[in-house]
Amino acid sequence: MSPVKDQVIYKEAAPEYWEQACRELMKQDRILKKLIPKYGSRFLVTRGDAFNTLARAIVGQQISVAAAQSVWNRVLAVSKKKVNPKNILALTVEELRAAGLSGRKVEYIRDLADHFDSGRLHASQWKDMDDESVIKELSDIRGIGRWTAEMFLIFNLVRPNILPLDDVGLIKAISLNYFSGEPVSRHEAREVAANWAPWRTVATWYMWRSIDPIPVEY
């Protein structure tokens, strides 16, 4: 999957835990002690809209950032400039395919819209549910696996301790920063990240910055 890059508009404040997390991570980890000051004026931001976050993740599956942005723009256009469950369900399969979505992604985004529109999801309760419970519920939607659910926990619910071990960018960053570019196993990555708890989301965000300074949003 590939995230969708937009012009980033920073909120007035970082997540409430951000400064504390940065202080503790710089004490606990020699690499982050160097990285965090380098990107210290930036922080994790959220769109705040659950459906859009998940829809963007589906659009970005297995295509480049640029391609994902192009398709999203076309989906936005055919959705009357507002991508929400009702507008997606009002579109025909042909219209969604014409916007650049594959047949499978059309199925995924319509299933996502149906889950939201029918009330089968407990979206209003997610903020009070633990991480694994949210992941389990989201994984019941077609086309959403653990990685997508973890991106949702990071970018929408702004959970502080998420470690997306299926994320190629995170593994690459750990390889470059801790293993001189040598291949890294999930076990090795998890061992490095043990030093980041309980702020693994924040450490992951800085790992991403180390290989791509421009923040990504979902």
Side-chain angles (χ1 to χ4, degrees):
M1 297 184 189
S2 298
V4 178
K5 285 187 180 180
D6 272 349
Q7 180 182 2
V8 177
I9 300 175
Y10 294 106
K11 300 172 75 175
E12 291 184 2
E16 60 180 17
Y17 56 78
W18 200 261
E19 288 187 12
Q20 178 187 353
C22 288
R23 287 196 303 270
E24 294 182 10
L25 287 168
M26 285 190 289
K27 290 179 181 178
Q28 294 166 198
D29 190 282
R30 61 183 178 82
I31 300 298
L32 289 169
K33 186 178 181 179
K34 298 176 183 177
L35 280 180
I36 289 174
K38 190 174 181 180
Y39 303 102
S41 63
R42 294 179 173 181
F43 43 79
L44 175 66
V45 294
T46 175
R47 296 181 184 281
D49 182 272
F51 181 77
N52 267 255
T53 297
L54 293 166
R56 280 176 172 268
I58 287 172
V59 168
Q61 290 176 6
Q62 300 177 331
I63 59 176
S64 71
V65 169
Q69 183 63 65
S70 175
V71 175
W72 181 258
N73 288 342
R74 281 180 277 164
V75 171
L76 191 60
V78 297
S79 302
K80 301 176 182 177
K81 299 296 181 181
K82 190 170 184 179
V83 179
N84 59 32
K86 290 191 182 299
N87 284 356
I88 289 295
L89 291 173
L91 296 170
T92 65
V93 171
E94 291 73 22
E95 286 172 319
L96 288 167
R97 288 294 300 271
L101 292 174
S102 66
R104 181 164 292 182
K105 287 183 183 179
V106 169
E107 293 176 9
Y108 291 168
I109 201 168
R110 286 177 63 85
D111 188 53
L112 174 68
D114 184 61
H115 271 78
F116 272 87
D117 191 59
S118 66
R120 279 183 283 164
L121 297 173
H122 302 90
S124 63
Q125 300 174 29
W126 285 341
K127 68 181 187 300
D128 299 316
M129 291 165 62
D130 64 68
D131 297 339
E132 289 301 322
S133 296
V134 176
I135 288 172
K136 184 177 185 300
E137 179 159 312
L138 290 177
S139 296
D140 287 338
I141 303 169
R142 295 186 65 189
I144 294 181
R146 186 176 184 88
W147 178 88
T148 306
E150 287 171 337
M151 293 302 103
F152 181 81
L153 289 172
I154 291 172
F155 287 96
N156 188 273
L157 296 182
V158 200
R159 296 291 171 86
N161 198 34
I162 305 301
L163 182 69
L165 287 173
D166 293 322
D167 188 82
V168 175
L170 173 60
I171 298 301
K172 178 182 178 181
I174 290 175
S175 168
L176 291 172
N177 286 293
Y178 295 88
F179 295 89
S180 301
E182 294 296 317
V184 176
S185 68
R186 287 171 63 93
H187 175 72
E188 289 169 327
R190 189 179 286 109
E191 283 193 331
V192 168
N195 201 39
W196 301 343
W199 311 115
R200 294 183 297 178
T201 293
V202 180
T204 294
W205 192 89
Y206 282 106
M207 284 293 107
W208 286 333
R209 297 292 67 72
S210 73
I211 59 173
D212 186 354
I214 302 173
V216 170
E217 294 181 61
Y218 282 89

